[in-house]
Amino acid sequence: MPPEKAAYDHLSMPALHIYELTTGWAAAKWLLWILLYLSLGILVPWVLARAWAHQHQVTMQLRLKQLFQSGELGLVGLMLAISVIWDLQKSQYSSYTIALGSVFLALTGVMAGSVWIEAYCRRSSGIRFTPGRAWRDSRNLAFLVFSLAAVTEILLDRFAKVIAL
Amino acid sequence: MSAAAPALVKERRGTLAMRLADPAATLAYVSLFFGLLLVLFPVSFPRIIIANWQSARLTPLMILFTVSVNLGLYLAVAHQRSAKPGILAAACLGSLPVFLLAALNFVLQATIAHTFAGSSPNASLLVDEEILAHTYFAMIAAIFFPFLMIRLAQQFQS
């Protein structure tokens, strides 16, 4: 018996159900979910760029920093935020919680997406554009959206299990 | 000439212009840490949060935590860029989390009343989950929102 479970043997049965379900298959489900977004948002574009360079026999720098230097990771963050807002809307949380979570996810998603918009506007208008800054901003904001999305999905998973009890 | 150089450098030290990416990474780590605690201690961690909420200690603790993180982040970025921290921005970082967390506490009370009003057989468990979700979203919002306000104000000003 794990020590965490032994320490809470006095708890009610529903609490133990949550414990068992959360430490069971949910861990694998989370890994799959994370891998799906990482592969679709980051790995697939990188592989496609490599394939294109190979096909055209072009030597080019294919680091993530170069590939996403215009803040494209912000768009990945926005896409991720939209998908989690969709999940949140379908949940049975109270309307207040859904509203709070959705508004906050939308704000961070929009701010992540706006990094790409700012970079595009700067490049188009010829106003000072720093690829390093666009990369850093989009990477940090996409990381924030990703962590928010991950924890929101954990909370949704827990809530769904409590509903099912 | 050499004596005047430090003075010139001091004069050029402008007010700190924040970018949202500055607090984003730290906030992401705070969020991931919350998630990690939730996965590793699925019973004990929520119990600590709910026990603190029941004893009315949760909101003051969150205010203390978020204001400390906000001010720490702001001063760290100012030090990193050798820029002067603005008094208005510091006041915003100190006061906005208090108002936000107090307002969200009222929203949480309404949520709990709404959940208990329903006919769910396990309403108390649902309320526990609602408190957990509110704590998470409120904590993250209280850190991110003041920086967003500062950023928008600076953009509007420029």
Side-chain angles (χ1 to χ4, degrees):
Chain A
M1 182 186 289
E4 167 79 2
K5 190 173 175 181
Y8 290 97
D9 262 354
H10 61 282
L11 289 179
S12 60
M13 279 308 286
L16 284 178
H17 278 307
I18 295 168
Y19 172 85
E20 283 163 0
L21 288 169
T22 313
T23 51
W25 58 272
K29 184 184 164 190
W30 276 103
L31 273 177
L32 282 176
W33 189 84
I34 287 166
L35 285 175
L36 178 73
Y37 278 101
L38 284 180
S39 60
L40 286 179
I42 299 170
L43 193 67
V44 167
W46 182 74
V47 168
L48 286 176
R50 274 191 78 87
W52 188 91
H54 182 72
Q55 190 185 1
H56 292 82
Q57 295 182 337
V58 180
T59 311
M60 52 195 281
Q61 284 195 316
L62 278 174
R63 289 182 188 156
L64 285 181
K65 190 175 175 178
Q66 270 87 36
L67 192 62
F68 298 111
Q69 66 176 352
S70 303
E72 289 88 350
L73 274 184
L75 295 178
V76 177
L78 181 59
M79 179 190 77
L80 184 57
I82 291 167
S83 76
V84 179
I85 290 170
W86 184 256
D87 282 351
L88 204 54
Q89 295 290 329
K90 284 193 299 181
S91 77
Q92 292 183 50
Y93 268 120
S94 70
S95 51
Y96 303 106
T97 310
I98 291 174
L100 176 64
S102 302
V103 166
F104 188 63
L105 276 162
L107 270 178
T108 45
V110 167
M111 293 321 289
S114 72
V115 176
W116 178 80
I117 294 168
E118 187 187 337
Y120 175 79
C121 292
R122 278 179 181 275
R123 270 183 302 138
S124 302
S125 61
I127 294 174
R128 187 171 58 92
F129 167 64
T130 321
R133 198 169 79 172
W135 155 253
R136 186 186 69 98
D137 286 4
S138 64
R139 182 198 61 193
N140 285 2
L141 283 163
F143 179 42
L144 173 62
V145 173
F146 181 76
S147 72
L148 289 175
V151 180
T152 307
E153 289 289 338
I154 291 173
L155 290 169
L156 284 171
D157 198 45
R158 284 179 62 96
F159 196 76
K161 281 163 189 164
V162 170
I163 290 279
L165 284 176
Chain B
M1 283 299 281
S2 60
L8 283 173
V9 170
K10 205 172 180 181
E11 271 174 25
R12 262 186 237 133
R13 200 170 171 240
T15 308
L16 175 64
M18 285 298 293
R19 294 187 67 79
L20 271 179
D22 296 325
T26 309
L27 189 52
Y29 285 120
V30 170
S31 167
L32 280 184
F33 187 65
F34 188 97
L36 201 66
L37 286 175
L38 214 52
V39 170
L40 294 179
F41 308 104
V43 179
S44 53
F45 179 57
R47 272 176 69 89
I48 291 169
I49 288 177
I50 288 152
N52 275 301
W53 182 79
Q54 283 168 345
S55 59
R57 280 197 303 258
L58 188 65
T59 307
L61 280 175
M62 279 172 68
I63 288 173
L64 192 69
F65 176 73
T66 53
V67 170
S68 308
V69 169
N70 282 350
L71 292 177
L73 264 170
Y74 187 65
L75 292 176
V77 174
H79 178 72
Q80 201 177 17
R81 294 201 192 140
S82 306
K84 195 173 69 179
I87 189 75
L88 272 177
C92 176
L93 289 172
S95 59
L96 263 184
V98 179
F99 291 121
L100 194 69
L101 288 171
L104 289 176
N105 195 34
F106 284 113
V107 174
L108 178 58
Q109 304 289 344
T111 305
I112 291 168
H114 180 261
T115 309
F116 275 126
S119 57
S120 175
N122 49 3
S124 65
L125 281 175
L126 293 179
V127 164
D128 289 355
E129 292 302 312
E130 294 276 3
I131 292 171
L132 197 62
H134 255 267
T135 304
Y136 172 69
F137 285 126
M139 181 183 72
I140 299 295
I143 298 174
F144 187 77
F145 193 67
F147 284 106
L148 180 67
M149 286 292 110
I150 290 172
R151 177 69 186 144
L152 292 178
Q154 283 175 345
Q155 213 155 22
F156 185 71
Q157 210 172 21
S158 66

